[in-house]
Structure formats: structure tokens, C-alpha cells
Amino acid sequence: MSDFEPLMNLDIMLALMLSVVWGVASVLIGRHPARRSARRPRIRPIVLLVAIALGTVLVGVRTWTAAQMGAHSWLFAADRVVVALPIVGLPVLAALALSVPRLLAEARDPTPQARLATFQPVAVLPIWAALTGALVGFSGTIFVPLAPPLAQPASTIYVVDALVLGAAWWWQRRRCAMVEGYHRRKWTVRILRAAGATAAALVVLVGALTLAQRTSRLPEQMSMASHDHATTTAGVHPVSVTDLTGPAAAPQRRFTLTAQAAPVRLASGRVLDGWTFNGQVPGPEIRVRQGDQVEVTVRNELTDTDVAVHWHGIDVPNSMDGVPGVTQDAIRPGGSFVYRFQARDAGTYWYHSHSQGSVQVKKGLFGALIVDPADGPAGGTGAGSGAAADRADWLVAQHTWYTGPGLPSAADLAHAVPAFGTTDGTERRTAAPGTTVRLRLLNTDSLTRNFVVTGTPFRVVAIDGNAVNRPTDVHDVRLVLGAGARYDVEFAMPDHPVRLSELRDPAGGIVVTPDGTGDVATVESTVDFDPTRYGTPAPTPFGPDSRFTREYEVLLDNHLGFYDGRFTFLWTMNGRVFPDVPPVVVREGDLVKLTYANRSHYDHPMHLHGHHMLVLSRNDKPVTGSPLWLDTVTVRVGEVWAVAFRADNPGIWMDHCHIFEHAADGMMTHVMYEGVTSPFQVGSNTPNDPE
Ligand code: C2O
Ligand code: CU
């Protein structure tokens, strides 16, 4: 856990405590003089003074937590500084200046005048204002996501707060004016009035909730960019995603992937109902040479389920990107779609369904796509096979299988079986000493996974498919792979066993031995491998000091609220959820800088389609090792990553959290090239459900 998370939790706790303390103070200060205790008249002012003191200290501490959060990133503190702190802090200052002296006087000598003085609006309103401010601050932490740009939401909040307090002032003045003739109403009247007020409050509350629920419904169909809504500027000629096919070229390699239901048999003997490509999980490995023109025909033989296949990490032409509702219509049962693209970059990639990913990928609709360098060794993978006798090249697709009834769910921990491919438990392999062993680690899950190689120093030779410049030996470090990430690890086989394990199951994994005997236990490591300080720098086409033509900052956050009619956790980008997150609009040739800051309680692996992102910095520290090119940036809790990409692949490209559940609950947007339109639509009335 980072040091950020306790800070954030403290900040939320403080916001809650502020509401409670100022709530108590508000009730006490508003109590009618005629109804205050006559026997112990000092109690009330003293309790109030204590509450005010406590409430003041809490504001001070929350100012400190905001400053600490702001030290990580201005994005983390902006709403605190602009809204949450001043809206409670200014009333607190007013309470210290106006209410406290009157309360002190009453505590010292509770004369009738002194008691009346603390009932005047000037003494009461600062405390009520502190309460409304505290409530605003609290709801900002869990109900109403606020993120820069704040000018509009902040001014709305201040205006509404001022109106509410103005009404309260008027009401309190009236109560003061009538203090003389006060007589307690009959109990029946009081009960009726209380019941009426409660009913009115309930009606307002239920009405507001219903409205929020209704308005959260996603449209039955909508376009990411139809001809009318395309982000077109003068001089940019409109083009449809369907025309963005890349240059026509005869395919050199052809594959067919057939989505079909099939039982998935795990090594332990467990069997579950899977959705597979060609009956296998992972799906057939697509292995090609760099430069190859690849053609993949995807057929859908599932019943009642639409699919679409995305080539994760490969910068394909937009129409081949496999995003239903954006670049194509999902493939209906019985239908097919032909994908064509050139494998331009060598490396480890993968393909997976991009239709209801949170279900389909979990059930098995994924596989590896490996591009061998044009001039390097090629080879098949699979148990024991290798291109040459002195090389072993193994795909390790880490996947969690759900054996429970119903749809797979990441929350279903009781039925989650961690596995490498279909191997749950331990798998043994052999490699002669001296063999160069390459493990292509792929995290197909939604959650971040930690891997450990025990028994030998090793090198991380590629990350997200991109070769690391001059990797050096490391050992006993944890390899932290966010969802969708790939790490290629290489070592020279020693004369003793080596184990690769994933830390949820340290006793499992792959044990490689020279002769089929022996074992080694997973080392306990606490040090995370840091890809930003690994390898050697090399020239890059742009860097932190480049002039960026577009810059976007994205605050990743979570809140409670309605999404598509359900009450749930919303995963927000700048306080908004899909489809209200503004797209990142670019023009071909732009150099775009994206800053992701994570203020939520979860890692967010942010995946941009169609482009490679060069990491500029993490937590403001520039990359000091090899250039780090990623297609998925795992922004851990409290982290800030600055990345950049060249807009050189026109289209409409998803930019989303690779935790499909998060994407499905709002955390997605698009990088949109000006002038690009799409004839496809998403929504419940269409076959298209990108997540
Ligand atoms: Cu690997 Cu948009 O996904
Ligand atoms: Cu996420």
C-alpha cells in the first residue's frame, strides 16, 4: 500500500467527522432559549464551545491532509482547495469571530440577554454554514465527484450554499423576533408538524434518488461520432472509421478463430463451462513474423452472445480494432468478421474479445499474439518446444478461472482459481542448463498480479511487447503486472531448479529443472521491480521536454452513485463517467501528453488503443532507465503517470481502464481524431456493448 492511501482514507474520515461535529453544534445552537435547560444553563454554551474547538481542529487537520495529497499531485487536492476547505473554513472563521465571544459570555454569566445573544442569526448562521460546508465536503469524497475544471461546479455549489444559508438567516430572524411570545405548542401539533416535515424530506429524497437513477440510464442507442457529431474543424475532411483500413495488401498469414462454448479442463481436473476460440484456452497462439500481413477470420458459434476481437497492443488500422459500436458491429451468432493488419512491431501481444469483456474474457475468449522480430529467432511455444535446442520460449498466460455458478465475477473469490493457462497448481518443465529460457508473462485478469522468479537472476527483456534497452540482471524482485500487461523475462537455465509463481499461489506455478527432479520454494520478496529505472536510456522521438500540441489531465476516482439505473461504484475520469467523459480530441500529427492521477481505492490499468505511449514520468520522477513504451499504464493508488503519444493513426480509439468492470461502470473515453465519424452505435438497442 502506498503512503497515499492512508492519507486519502484519513481525509475522507475527517470529512465525515466534520459533518458530525458541526451537525451536533448546529442542533445545539439552534435550540430555542425557552426550551433550554434552566437548571444547568452553562452546559449548552460549554458543549458548543468544545464542539467549535473540535470542528476547528478538524478543519486544520483536513487542510494538512489536502496539502499532503496536493504534494503528490495538484489534481488530488484541487477540489479540496477550491471547494471543500473554503466552504467549511470560512464559516469556521466566522464562528470563531462571531459565535464564540457570545457563547463565552453566556457560559460565564447565563443572563437572559446572554442566552438571547447566542440565538441571533449572527451567532447561529456561522455554525449552520459550517455544517452545510462540511456536508458539501463529505459528499465530495463519496457522492459528488469533483475534478478540474472546477469553475462551473464550484460556483454552482457556492451559489446554492449561499441561497440555503440566506433562507436560514431569514428563518432564524423570524424565530428571534417571536422569542417573546413563545409558548410551546400542544404535543399533537408538534407530532403532526414533525411527521409532516419528515414526510416532506422523504419525498424530496426519494424524488432526488429517482431522478438520479433515471438520468443515469444510458441511451438505448448513441453514436460515438456520427456525421453530425463528428469533431470537425474547418479544413479537416470527414472520414468514416470503415474507410480506415490501412493499405490493401495480400495477406501472408491466415488464421481462423471460432468462438464456441466448450468445457475448460484445468490441470487439477476441475471442469468449467468456457467460451473458447477453437475449443482451446488460451485461444490458438497467433505467431507471425514482423512485417507480415495477417488475416484473421473470426467466426461466432456462440448462442445468444455477440463477440468482437481486439488486438491488444498492436497498432492496427482503426477499422480492424474490434470495438463494437465504434469500429464495427459486434459479430452476431453465426456471423463472422475478417480482420486484416500488418504486424509492424515485434513483441508479445494478445487478442481478446472486446464485447462484454468482463464476462467474455473471464470465460476464456483470449489468446496470445506473438510477433517475432524480422531478423531474430522465431519459434513455437508450448510445453518443452522451442525454436532451437538452446532456446525455450514459453507463453505464461496468467488467468483466473471462476468455477462458481452463474457469470464469472472478480468478486467471487471463493470460486476463483488462479492458473497459468489451464494449469492450476504446479507444472514441471525441463530445460538443459545453459538454455536461454524466455517466459512471456501475460496478465489476462482484471486485477494487478505479482510474479516472482526464484532460483536465478533474470532480465526483463520486453515490457508490453517493447524491447527494453540493455536490460540487466535482477533477482528476487516482484514483477507487478497490471491488467493486460506483458513482461518478457529471460534467463540462462542454471544447473538447479527455477520456479515462476504468481503470489496468490506461491506454491504453484512453473518449476523448470535440468532433469525433471528437484524443487525450489518461492522466495519471499518485498521489492517491486521498477520499470522506470531499468535498463539504459536511448534516444526517443520525443520526451518530457518536447512541445506538446495537446495536453490532458485525467483524475481517476471512484464514487457511489447511479450508473445505468443501478446504484454502484462509479469509476470516474475527471468526475465523469462514460459517455459523459469528454473525448481526447486530436488532429493527425499532434504530440499528445496525458497525465493520469489516481485518487481512488483501486489500481487503474489505462489502455489506449492504436498507439504506444512513451512514459515521461511517474510521480514527477522522470524515467531514468530504458525508454518505457506501454500500451497499458497501470496507475496504482496515489500515483501520477505522465505519458505521451504521437497522433499518427487516425480513428476513434478507446482509452479505458482494462479492469473491464471499471470500464463498464464509466471509466472509458475515446481519443478522437478530428473529422473521423462512425456509422456504428452503442447502447442496449444495438448489438454493441464495448465492455
Ligand atoms: Cu485489451 Cu480495450 O482492451
Ligand atoms: Cu479501473
Side-chain angles (χ1 to χ4, degrees), residues 542 549-550 586-592 611 644-650 671 673:
F542 44 84
T549 48
R550 315 258 176 168
V586 302
R587 191 180 277 208
E588 192 168 357
D590 271 341
L591 187 57
V592 188
H611 302 77
F645 68 92
R646 175 72 71 188
D648 55 5
N649 194 4
V671 167
Y673 282 67

Side-chain angles (χ1 to χ4, degrees), residues 310 312 352 354 607 609 656 658:
H310 171 62
H312 183 122
H352 61 79
H354 214 293
H607 175 43
H609 289 205
H656 65 97
H658 216 282

